[in-house]
Amino acid sequence: MIDTSDIKIKRTSNSRLQETDFSDLPFGKIFSDHMFIADYEDGEWKNFQIVPYGDLTFSPAISALHYGQAFFEGLKAYKQENGDVVMFRPYKNAERFNKSAERMCMPSLPEDLFVQSIAALVEVDKDWIPTAPQTSLYIRPFMFATDEYLGVQPSTTYKFMVLACPVGAYFSKPLKVKIETKYSRSSEGGFGFAKAAGNYAGSLYPAQQALKEGFDQIIWTDGRDHSYIEELGAANVMFIIDGKLVTPSTRDTILKGITRDTILTLANKWGIPVDERRVSVAEILEGLKNGQVAEAFGVGTAATITSIASIGYEGELYELPDPATAGFSSRALKTLNEIRYGQAPDEFEWNYKID
Ligand SMILES: *Cc1c(COP(=O)(O)O)cnc(C)c1O
């Protein structure tokens, strides 16, 4: 068993903290001073290190580059008003990390090691956690295959790494989205449930086409005949229909979001009926026409909750009620923020304190 005292820390002598403008934090472009890195060799994880953030060198033949044996996670750390630093539900990410690893034929990482590696990096770079309202430190754990070999087979060596980015408050105007009827991001028997790099590569072209048609984002549908709703871009999707919170049940084509689970838990606590089931495109179109769909929104770590303003389907555009009047999603967002920043009781013990 590995413990955190096995992590070698090499601190930078050249911090970029002073020259970083914390009033302008574009998502995913600014990296903290350090990164975590570990190697998988001879069937075990070793060389746990925190080193200055910077370039790596490796062979151009590594299998991650050719066959996409790579996946990632995403979570956030927050600095609370009393100075406590917390991560939001990191063991959920650890669990999903290992589900992705298994599907991609990559080695698992003990959950404690996953969480402790991240905690150690956040501790070293804690001055990089922004403190303005709704800001956070976005944490990006990932693993990739490093065998120098062009044969198509699972690699025997890997790297596990963690990067951290200070990120600003996420403001997005309500989205104009398109129900996709041609392309798919995943299919039954595929690996849509894994945060595998290839899933995102494959989604770029359809997203670019949607952008050209004037949409901000895609509502993905099932890969078989595009008649059931699955996700919104790289977020889960939810609707308020007749006072019920409706969301597609998770399956192998849908990523099981931690924000999704968090919001379903809050809805249950508030006594709002929750309907996790297959959600047909026909039902949503019908509900948009007759006004039964009161709210539609995406949920995920990066953007938290993003409202949908209008939904396009085969040349028709359906408007939702003004998102500014959305009762459920604004309540959920407010509560989630209060819990994360330590302003409301954390009754489900979602915050993991780093000390
Ligand atoms: C990461 C991700 C989500 C959201 O998951 P969270 O755990 O809430 O961040 C949803 N769908 C896809 C495809 C994703 O990659």
Side-chain angles (χ1 to χ4, degrees):
M1 185 55 202
I2 308 118
D3 76 66
T4 35
S5 56
D6 292 332
I7 302 175
K8 276 205 204 72
I9 301 178
K10 180 170 177 259
R11 284 175 192 267
T12 181
S13 53
N14 217 339
S15 172
R16 286 173 282 104
L17 197 53
Q18 293 314 316
E19 70 211 40
T20 302
D21 179 3
F22 276 74
S23 68
D24 177 26
L25 297 170
F27 180 84
K29 287 193 174 167
I30 296 165
F31 297 93
S32 69
D33 277 332
H34 299 88
M35 61 188 186
F36 179 93
I37 184 162
D39 300 309
Y40 185 86
E41 288 167 9
D42 307 322
E44 60 177 355
W45 286 105
K46 51 178 83 161
N47 306 332
F48 304 99
Q49 298 178 75
I50 289 173
V51 297
Y53 174 85
D55 295 349
L56 303 174
T57 50
F58 38 65
S59 152
I62 65 169
S63 36
L65 293 177
H66 298 268
Y67 308 122
Q69 218 194 350
F71 70 92
F72 63 94
E73 266 303 324
L75 67 160
K76 282 178 172 172
Y78 302 84
K79 199 171 267 174
Q80 300 188 328
E81 277 166 359
N82 65 2
D84 282 356
V85 172
V86 301
M87 297 194 281
F88 193 73
R89 308 188 77 183
Y91 277 91
K92 286 293 222 188
N93 296 92
E95 190 188 326
R96 188 171 65 196
F97 186 88
N98 285 332
K99 288 212 175 83
S100 295
E102 183 183 12
R103 181 62 178 82
M104 306 314 289
C105 263
M106 295 165 75
S108 65
L109 198 61
E111 290 187 3
D112 285 326
L113 179 60
F114 175 90
V115 174
Q116 293 317 319
S117 310
I118 296 170
L121 178 67
V122 173
E123 173 65 27
V124 168
D125 277 342
K126 62 174 178 289
D127 292 342
W128 283 86
I129 309 173
T131 50
Q134 296 192 53
T135 60
S136 59
L137 190 70
Y138 179 79
I139 300 161
R140 168 52 62 89
F142 59 109
M143 197 202 296
F144 59 97
T146 55
D147 274 5
E148 185 177 8
Y149 176 53
L150 294 183
V152 181
Q153 66 169 48
S155 185
T156 60
T157 60
Y158 297 89
K159 282 193 192 297
F160 166 57
M161 297 189 65
V162 186
L163 306 178
C165 300
V167 295
Y170 189 95
F171 295 116
S172 148
K173 60 172 184 30
L175 304 175
K176 178 181 172 187
V177 306
K178 173 194 174 183
I179 295 180
E180 183 59 63
T181 53
K182 180 173 180 189
Y183 302 105
S184 311
R185 73 172 284 281
S186 62
S187 63
E188 282 167 43
F191 52 94
F193 66 89
K195 258 177 135 65
N199 283 331
Y200 303 85
S203 73
L204 298 176
Y205 182 79
Q208 197 179 52
Q209 298 304 307
L211 223 59
K212 280 187 192 156
E213 294 164 28
F215 295 101
D216 302 308
Q217 198 50 274
I218 286 175
I219 289 188
W220 297 107
T221 50
D222 68 282
R224 187 177 284 189
D225 52 16
H226 302 290
S227 55
Y228 291 93
I229 304 279
E230 298 209 318
E231 298 205 53
L232 172 69
N236 294 110
V237 66
M238 296 185 167
F239 302 91
I240 298 290
I241 305 175
D242 282 339
K244 276 192 200 147
L245 179 58
V246 178
T247 192
S249 36
T250 54
R251 52 208 295 270
D252 61 0
T253 55
I254 295 180
L255 192 120
K256 202 170 176 181
I258 296 162
T259 318
R260 176 186 180 280
D261 179 78
T262 300
I263 288 171
L264 294 182
T265 304
L266 287 177
N268 275 321
K269 180 192 135 179
W270 293 337
I272 293 163
V274 169
D275 228 356
E276 280 186 81
R277 55 173 169 79
R278 299 210 75 185
V279 179
S280 74
V281 172
E283 164 190 3
I284 294 302
L285 295 177
E286 191 53 36
L288 287 167
K289 282 182 208 157
N290 65 22
Q292 284 173 310
V293 179
E295 299 177 42
F297 50 96
V299 304
T301 295
T304 317
I305 296 182
T306 315
S307 303
I308 296 174
S310 57
I311 299 181
Y313 181 75
E314 297 190 332
E316 293 286 331
L317 192 67
Y318 303 86
E319 302 283 340
L320 276 117
D322 182 358
T325 66
F328 177 82
S329 49
S330 47
R331 182 182 181 191
L333 180 60
K334 183 166 173 280
T335 304
L336 206 53
N337 280 328
E338 286 171 351
I339 295 171
R340 286 165 167 165
Y341 294 106
Q343 297 152 341
D346 178 21
E347 64 180 285
F348 298 103
E349 299 184 355
W350 285 330
N351 291 323
Y352 178 93
K353 192 174 157 190
I354 298 176
D355 45 22

